[in-house]
Every structure is written in C-alpha cells, then in structure tokens.
Amino acid sequence: MIAASYQDHVSQLQTNYESALLSVFDKQPPDGVLLYSGSEQHYYADDRGIAFQAYGHFLHWIDVNRPGQMLCIRPRRKPVYYQVVPDDYWYEQDIVSDPLWGDCFEVVRLTSESALIEQIAGNYVFLGNNRALADTLGVPAALSNPEALLGCLDYQRAYKSDYELDQLRVANRLAMVGHSAARECFLTGGSEYDIHMAYLTTCGVLEDETPYTNIVALNEKAAILHYQNKRRQHQGGNRVLLIDAGYRVRGYGSDITRTSVSKDIHPVFNALLAGMESIKDKLVATVRPGFSYVDLHLTALAEIAELLTTVAICRGTSSELLEQEIVHQFMPHGIGHLLGIQVHDVAGHQQNMSGDMLAPPAHSPMLRNTRQCAEGMVFTIEPGCYFIPLLLEAERQSDRRGTYNWDLIEQLYPIGGIRIEDNVCVTADGVENLTPAT
C-alpha cells in the first residue's frame, strides 16, 4: 500500500516538474533539473560539523538526509539518484536503500561529488545551495535557482499527496505518545530538562532527529514564544507546562503544542485554558475549501478577545479589543503556518504559480499563511494567549491602559501563557484533524 502511494507521489512530482519547466521555459526548456541535497557546514573556525538538514525540494522526492546527494529530473525519463557515498574510515557513510524506492529511481552510486562531473552533461537547472558545484557542472547563473521555477515548485508543495498525508498522520500519532510522557513528567515534578528527555526517550529519537528544537517551558517561560532553554534545576511548585514538540517520519514533521496545568492552578488561568481548547476545536471545525486562512486568523482573534472579556482579564467588548488591537498584545503570532517537509513550509504568502504574494494584515505581520484553504493543504492551527511583560507593561502608559485588569494580569505573569496546536488537512468538503485527541 505505502509502496504504491509513494510511486504515485513520485509520478505526480515528475508531472509537476515537467509542467513547471514548460511553463517557465516555454521557448527552450532545459534538459531537466538537478536537485542538490546540500553541503555539509562547519562552525566558524572549527572542524566540527553543524547538524545537516537536506534541501526541502530534494527531500520532497526522496528521504535521504545526507549532504552531497543529487537527483536528476528529466521529462519522460526515470529520475536518476546519484548516491554519493565517500570512501571514509572517520565517519559512517553508508546509505541504506529504502524498499519504497523500488523502480522509482535509477540509482548510480559514486564515491565523490567530483564524480558527478563525469556523469552529468547537458543543459540543466540547478536547485540547491552550492553555486560552485553548479558552475563546475556548467550550469549558467540564470539557471541556478531561478525564482520563476522555484515559485512553481514552492506553491505546489502546499498540496499533499496520499503518501505525504500518511507520513504526517504517523508523525502526529507518534508525537502524541511523547507528549503524554512529557505531561506525566511535568505532573510528577520534572524539570524542563527532565521533560525534554522524557519526550525524546519515549519517542526513541535523538534531538537532531526531531523536526525542530523542542520548546519545553515551565511557568513564566511559557510567555516566551520560542523559548530555547531546558532548565535542569527543579523549580518546585510548577503550575504550567507549555511543550511544543514534533516527530519526523520519512522527512515529514508534525508540529504539536500542548499546555498542561497543576491541580492548584489559578482558577482564571484554568478557565482561560478551557476556553482556548474550545477555541482551537472551533477553529478546526471552521476549515473548509475556499475559506481564507486570513479569515481563520481573524476568527481566532475575535474568539480570544471574547474570552479575555469573559474571564475579566480585559474590560469592554470583544469588538473594542479587536479595534484597539488589544487582543494582539495577548496573541502576537499568527494562527499557524503551512506544514510538510519543513515545519514552517514554503509559499505561505504565495497566491499562485506565478509567484504573486499576499502580505499578512498590518496588525498581524507574523501571520505566515495568507492562502485560501484548498483540498490537500496541511497547516497548523495554534491559538495562544500569553502574559508577556515586554508587551503588556508598555500598555500601562497608553490611552488603552484602563482596558486591562492589571491586578489579575500581575497574578498571571508568573504562569506564562497558553498555546494549543493541532495539524489539519483540508478535505474535499471539510477538514481532517491529523492530531489525535488527548
């Protein structure tokens, strides 16, 4: 079953690339496309390598997260995978062939990148980060990462094949196993480091194998949107855990956030959490083909504004909180982003194959997706509500200061904030939530 869906996936990619080449180079199309996985990078003035991540368009075809690899895509011909496996006794270099590849590729094994020169001859587009290699292969500058072609390929990445959806479903299911372990570790008094390790150990992965660095925030650190540390000391009396963590399957990563609280959490925060969970579910149910992702974001802001007034964090009406952009101080990020090979996947603002862009609204510049929902599109829905001193304290000097319940906000500062994030796919008539319920 999975082998057949993968073959269909590769076949569709072949069609997409052929169409894109004809569209962009209608008068004299190149012989094909060379897709380069990427070069190994080192820390400045050091010989220690930086954890490698292959180029997204390369991984879209084949799950080989290794530097120096090349795919040659030509119209009406089987793709060639130039598998570069250096002779080396310092590092493990073997690449295990995936049974899924089957007859999808012609595999040519080489021992160095320089051997590519003898294998590749013709007029090709080069996609990847190694301009020197492109020069060596005779690719002119105009055919190295041409924006028009990348616009076509980026745009199409939003629409997932059945194969891709299957990987994302598994990535969501396995991530939730780790999230359950993280929650248990939090409830038994674990530190941020303990919780992080509980997630990795339960999922059976190394940190570099996750789709992004886990966010594990206790208490006030939950108000830092991309909190990067893992405090080892036990805080004692932990009230809130915000964990944003995913799992990668065959190159496809889930992106899930959960917020957990202790039994003695502040009652207003508890009500806020219940309300945010309800808002997340309502937003998911709203998704359907043709619905604007910008409107989804605006709906989220309106719902959060209503919740802020309901729990008495703010005074006034929800419409006033929206008009005065007060709700934005509690949710400064967008409602989500496209998801797939990359966690923040490409072309979120791109409106068509031609590369036309739609910027996010001025009041929400961090919104990463402004496209219309369409069947096969996968994205996150992640409403949040945070008590960020950097944003809120500046409001004390504004004309809007009377809208805020400062006594209550000061009580909530030490417990940070809330984010709840699911991964969803747009179906023909609605939505599939890829993230299992907890």
Side-chain angles (χ1 to χ4, degrees), residues 129-143:
N129 71 341
N130 193 330
R131 180 64 201 143
L133 177 61
D135 286 338
T136 302
L137 294 172
V139 178
L143 294 183

Side-chain angles (χ1 to χ4, degrees), residues 395-414:
E395 292 291 288
R396 288 188 190 266
Q397 310 305 318
S398 75
D399 294 338
R400 306 176 295 187
R401 58 185 177 275
T403 307
Y404 297 86
N405 183 344
W406 292 109
D407 288 342
L408 184 52
I409 288 171
E410 288 170 1
Q411 295 175 45
L412 298 176
Y413 272 149

Side-chain angles (χ1 to χ4, degrees), residues 37-106:
S37 68
S39 302
E40 185 178 14
Q41 303 294 319
H42 294 82
Y43 291 104
Y44 180 67
D46 201 337
D47 63 356
R48 186 162 62 96
I50 300 170
F52 179 76
Q53 178 62 44
Y55 180 39
H57 283 302
F58 177 88
L59 289 176
H60 202 195
W61 286 81
I62 189 167
D63 179 28
V64 179
N65 191 32
R66 294 283 290 276
Q69 309 301 302
M70 185 78 81
L71 284 171
C72 180
I73 314 301
R74 296 167 293 181
R76 298 176 300 282
R77 298 181 65 178
K78 182 182 293 187
V80 180
Y81 169 33
Y82 293 104
Q83 187 180 83
V84 179
V85 182
D87 294 329
D88 187 6
Y89 52 80
W90 287 98
Y91 297 99
E92 171 65 69
Q93 296 286 1
D94 285 347
I95 298 175
V96 179
S97 295
D98 192 322
L100 281 188
W101 299 349
D103 293 329
C104 292
F105 305 97
E106 176 188 345

